[in-house]
Amino acid sequence: MNHTARAFWLGSPGRGEIRETALPTPGEDEVLVRSLYSGVSRGTETLVFRGGVPESQHTAMRAPFQEGDFPGPVKYGYLNVGVVEEGPAVLVGRTVFCLYPHQTRYVVPASAVTPVPDDVPAGRAVLAGTVETAVNALWDAAPLIGDRIAVVGGGMVGSSVAALLARFPGVRVQLVDADPARAETAEALGVGFALPGDALGDCDLVVHASATEQGLTRSLELLGAEGTVIELSWYGDRKVSLPLGEAFHSRRLAIRSSQVGTVSPARPGRSYADRLALALDLLADPALDALITGESAFEELPDVMPRLASGEIPALCHLIHYDRATP
């Protein structure tokens, strides 16, 4: 066994680097995983890269296998798919998903990995963490047959929510985004698309995921009477102002937060493992390939991450491949 690996670290806000790290020998109930792919979530990960996590949220924002602390140095990430090289016989050779940062190999408890279904390609499986967020959001939102729904914000999370809503019978779903290029994503997912000014109103439900003040304001405007906005955006250290003095009270509107760190109270009998396994099953749909918008080699991450954070590389999920990475 090679007892070292290489990992991507945020040395300080805006500066990434690849470091060598020692690997422990796997214990009886542990697995050694060789990474095949990892994914960069352009929302949360680039916010971390810019150093935008408020001090009050340093604990809440920790990833399961994070090393270091915000704002840096920190090893951060949570979308990893690899092959089990050592561990319990039932897992050896299996392709698995794990909430692990960008690293060539790693050792974790066997309970921390989830086998990827045979009908889900390894590259697409990196989306499991984001589709899991969408599953939790829809458990919170509880959409009904025939609902009129807008998803405001066509990023990785919003597009995942729209993709799942496309499966609901009789539901009018519209993906709303200021970027006209997101119309192509919406078409691939099988949902309608509109620019913010053209979006259909009188909605029963709006899922907001644009992480902008303008997007949340528009979400409220799109609601019909007694409608609800499910807020998925993470604003980091930014403050948001809302027009709560207009029709907010007279139409009895509501804003509810949804956060993947807790399983929705609407599903008290489901575990984190149940939710993740469901997300992986849902990834059998090839339409979700539309959420992977670019690919780079692991060695390129120090140069790629600043370009993702600045928007120079437009992305939903940016795929990182390890096929030529040294251990």
Side-chain angles (χ1 to χ4, degrees), residues 101-164:
H102 310 282
Q103 185 165 310
T104 55
R105 282 183 168 85
Y106 53 91
V107 174
V108 293
S111 59
V113 302
T114 302
V116 174
D118 292 339
D119 57 351
V120 177
R124 191 189 305 156
V126 300
L127 298 169
T130 305
V131 173
E132 183 184 11
T133 300
V135 167
N136 206 60
L138 293 180
W139 282 349
D140 283 333
L144 300 175
I145 186 169
D147 272 358
R148 292 162 294 198
I149 304 174
V151 180
V152 177
M156 193 174 169
V157 171
S159 294
S160 296
V161 171
L164 298 189

